[in-house]
Amino acid sequence: MAANPNNNRSDHDSDNNNNNNNNTRLYNPYQNFEVPIKSQYLYKLPTSPEYLFAEESLKQRRSWGENLTFYTGTAYLGGSVSGAAVGIFSGVKNFESGDTTKLKINRILNSSGHTGRTWGNRVGIVGLMYAGIESGVVAVMDRDDVWTSVVAGLGTGAVFRAARGVRSAAVAGALGGLAAGAVVAGKQVVKRYVPI
Amino acid sequence: METQKKAREHNLRRIVDDIGGAFGMGAIGGSVVHFIKGTQSSPNGRRFVGGAQAVSMNAPRIGGSFAVFGGLFSAFDYTMVYIRKKEDPWNSIVAGAATGGFLSMRQGLAAASRSALMGGLLLALIKGVH
């Protein structure tokens, strides 16, 4: 989640100087405990995430862990769902005449489950590699633009097909880099031209 | 304490994050284990290739099963929080039991109950340490 750096700069001069803006919340230290103390809302805490260093609060970027889990999760889910859909179609296609309903359902479940699982696993691995490489490139190069995505796509394609030989890895890497670049460029085009 | 932890709201995106995290843990852990197994059971000179092949055959599958477990657990947890409207360790324990039972549903009631019990105990241990 992006940080909210708007109000953090004034806070680094003095420790408790939060009262200028209304981005504070009242905090009662005893609110989660049941103690026989008549406590009240004593403190005003900032509602935005608190950072120790000003430069860290300015970065509006996901952390590498969030990047990793989000990309892997969406990749796995997307792959599973599309695999299951394809599996349902192929299961329906394999119906034989004289199948009972139970048998039909079993067929559909088996094929959709199998295809969903394999696709989900493969796309999940691709997502994991892509997220890992992109986070690594961003951490090393300290920039986050189209080229990090392209390099991450290159790397993912190359590693994915590394077992099949150098030439296959190079081709897959090029395809991956192109795909990543296309996705990023497409996202920018959509943001600019499509009214949502 | 509230001030020390960055609050993670319970929303749907967190389920996706949990699925991704579980998949990553399964895939990477499975990769390590199967790489070692593959290198050990390959002839000399082809050890690395053997390890890499074992990884490429097994790691996606293990990642997938972890992801299914993590995803189901996270979905049940979210449902429990939504129903009860408070955050407790009990949500996670019941969610763990439900996941265990759900995954063994096809083997019949006895196996499902046993898996549910194990899942609940496992999460009780995890949450108890917390």
Side-chain angles (χ1 to χ4, degrees), chain A residues 25 31 45 69-70 73 76 121 124, chain B residues 2-3 16-17 20 23 60 64 68:
Chain A
R25 60 186 170 105
Q31 68 190 34
L45 296 180
T69 52
F70 183 65
Y76 181 79
N121 289 347
Chain B
E2 263 184 57
T3 47
V16 174
D17 279 344
F23 185 86
V68 165

Side-chain angles (χ1 to χ4, degrees), chain B:
Chain B
M1 277 212 306
E2 263 184 57
T3 47
Q4 288 175 357
K5 270 202 229 161
K6 185 167 159 193
R8 294 181 74 203
E9 327 104 42
H10 260 275
N11 52 12
L12 288 175
R13 190 196 143 152
R14 186 167 150 189
I15 300 187
V16 174
D17 279 344
D18 282 346
I19 294 181
F23 185 86
M25 279 197 301
I28 294 184
S31 300
V32 169
V33 166
H34 280 283
F35 187 74
I36 295 180
K37 271 200 203 172
T39 42
Q40 279 176 345
S41 65
S42 313
N44 255 334
R46 313 261 322 154
R47 284 206 189 265
F48 186 78
V49 174
Q53 272 182 348
V55 165
S56 72
M57 281 199 301
N58 291 315
R61 197 169 31 97
I62 297 190
S65 45
F66 267 68
V68 165
F69 186 86
L72 276 178
F73 169 74
S74 188
F76 281 129
D77 196 26
Y78 179 77
T79 316
M80 293 288 301
V81 167
Y82 191 72
I83 293 179
R84 294 176 74 216
K85 299 209 194 317
K86 57 177 167 163
E87 306 236 4
D88 248 351
W90 282 112
N91 293 335
S92 307
I93 297 177
V94 172
T99 314
F102 188 85
L103 285 174
S104 313
M105 211 162 53
R106 274 186 114 176
Q107 267 99 344
L109 191 57
S113 327
R114 248 180 295 135
S115 299
L117 197 62
M118 286 201 311
L121 277 176
L122 176 70
L123 271 140
L125 276 176
I126 296 179
K127 287 292 165 175
V129 168
H130 247 274

Side-chain angles (χ1 to χ4, degrees), chain A residues 1 59 61-72 127-128 130-140 144, chain B residues 6 13 17 21 24 28:
Chain A
M1 315 273 188
K59 278 201 221 157
R61 195 191 296 161
R62 294 194 201 105
S63 72
W64 71 271
E66 269 191 43
N67 214 14
L68 198 72
T69 52
F70 183 65
Y71 276 138
T72 315
L128 181 66
Y130 177 80
I133 298 182
E134 186 181 13
S135 302
V137 168
V138 161
V140 164
D144 190 7
Chain B
K6 185 167 159 193
R13 190 196 143 152
D17 279 344
I28 294 184

